[in-house]
Amino acid sequence: MKMILVKAGGSAVTDKKKEFTPRIDVIEKVADQLSRSGKQIILVHGGGSFGHPLAKKFGLQHGFTDKSQIEGVSRTRYSMTELNQLIVSTFIKKGIHAVSVQTSACFVCTDARISLSFLEPVERFLQLGCVPVLYGDVVTDTKMGFCILSGDQIVSYLARKFNPERVIFGLEVDGLYTKDPVYADAELIREVTFSDLKSIGGGETGDVTKGMKGKLSEIENMRGVEVDLINLTKEGTLLKALKGDVIGTRIR
Ligand code: IP8
């Protein structure tokens, strides 16, 4: 069976307006749908209010510039572990055999791009029938000292390594829009080709990893795989997408 890669966006699984605040209802909804799908899954979640405010406060996206940032490296790493634990424990309560995989222990970057990885545990846990759960994180970088590795870059990397059946990005909006969905005339795009992605703006989110623009540039690296963008906060969307229905935006 081919596996499905799911990215649970930080803006869907946390309250971006309140630091360190999870959206338990969304996390439980995700868990329910994953457990009902019967699919093999690798899940990657974002940082949301557990990652981005701290990363921004200490300027972690710029890499090492000053010793005072190291406190931020440690605190951000710890905070991401807390969010990950919460997600994994919710999954386990719902009967999913989730296994946390610490991102900074299996990826090293060079200029904020993955240059080294150790994914054998991910592959082997998957073969055992577990659901590996990775996350956007602060990782070491051979040039910058450290950097922020987004969950989106991890998904794009895993998609190229593991050739999944499909990739699903769970957001807090319905999909990809013709412009930032804060504008009333923004329209939801149902289907788009990889070649047309460049012409779409998408909108900013204030994330250190560049929000929708950053996401689209990672998606561009996944040509050949079917990619769905869906609203993770709505009832039943993930289960439908896992079964192959077009719920939000399909990119192919
Ligand atoms: O939310 C970034 O991951 P993303 C994680 O997937 C941190 O961009 C630590 C800010």
Side-chain angles (χ1 to χ4, degrees):
M1 183 173 29
K2 263 191 165 185
M3 140 308 267
I4 300 183
L5 256 170
V6 178
K7 164 85 194 287
S11 51
V13 294
T14 76
D15 184 341
K16 294 272 291 236
K17 291 188 204 87
K18 290 190 210 128
E19 269 187 59
F20 313 115
T21 309
R23 287 172 82 176
I24 303 285
D25 59 318
V26 177
I27 298 170
E28 285 182 342
K29 245 185 259 177
V30 170
D32 278 331
Q33 295 172 84
L34 289 181
S35 72
R36 284 166 58 197
S37 75
K39 300 276 187 184
Q40 255 194 337
I41 309 283
I42 297 180
L43 188 119
V44 181
H45 65 79
S49 62
F50 283 74
H52 290 274
L54 267 177
K56 200 173 274 178
K57 182 173 167 200
F58 288 93
L60 301 188
Q61 71 276 29
H62 307 304
F64 182 89
T65 52
D66 188 272
K67 268 207 299 235
S68 65
Q69 292 173 298
I70 301 305
E71 179 194 346
V73 171
S74 169
R75 285 176 56 186
T76 306
R77 269 269 43 255
Y78 184 71
S79 181
M80 285 311 301
T81 306
E82 287 195 307
L83 175 61
N84 180 252
Q85 292 277 299
L86 189 83
I87 291 176
V88 169
S89 65
T90 307
F91 282 12
I92 291 172
K93 274 185 217 137
K94 299 274 182 184
I96 299 167
H97 308 314
V99 174
S100 168
V101 176
Q102 194 199 316
T103 297
S104 60
C106 50
F107 292 106
V108 173
C109 288
T110 301
D111 280 331
R113 303 301 301 173
I114 296 169
S115 55
L116 237 157
S117 67
F118 178 56
L119 293 172
E120 195 148 329
V122 173
E123 220 170 329
R124 290 185 181 275
F125 275 129
L126 201 61
Q127 282 163 8
L128 287 170
C130 295
V131 173
V133 182
L134 294 90
Y135 45 96
D137 203 359
V138 53
V139 303
T140 54
D141 188 298
T142 59
K143 291 254 177 72
M144 298 163 69
F146 55 78
C147 70
I148 296 294
L149 172 58
S150 73
D152 294 339
Q153 188 184 154
I154 296 171
V155 168
S156 149
Y157 189 86
L158 295 178
R160 276 170 282 143
K161 279 258 177 221
F162 293 132
N163 187 30
E165 179 184 330
R166 68 180 60 255
V167 177
I168 300 169
F169 283 90
L171 319 168
E172 45 138 28
V173 292
D174 287 353
L176 192 55
Y177 288 81
T178 46
K179 56 168 90 162
D180 194 322
V182 296
Y183 297 106
D185 60 341
E187 283 171 38
L188 181 68
I189 300 165
R190 285 285 173 200
E191 293 230 13
V192 64
T193 61
F194 279 92
S195 317
D196 288 339
L197 276 186
K198 270 206 170 64
S199 58
I200 296 162
E204 279 305 326
T205 57
D207 280 2
V208 293
T209 44
K210 300 195 190 81
M212 186 57 90
K213 231 182 248 155
K215 195 178 297 298
L216 291 183
S217 76
E218 295 301 344
I219 291 175
E220 272 177 42
N221 297 327
M222 283 189 257
R223 267 171 204 270
V225 183
E226 211 161 69
V227 178
D228 281 307
L229 305 188
I230 63 162
N231 190 332
L232 206 59
T233 68
K234 287 191 176 165
E235 209 63 61
T237 48
L238 178 60
L239 188 58
K240 286 185 189 144
L242 287 166
K243 290 187 171 153
D245 297 348
V246 180
I247 298 302
T249 303
R250 173 153 301 165
I251 303 163
R252 61 171 143 211

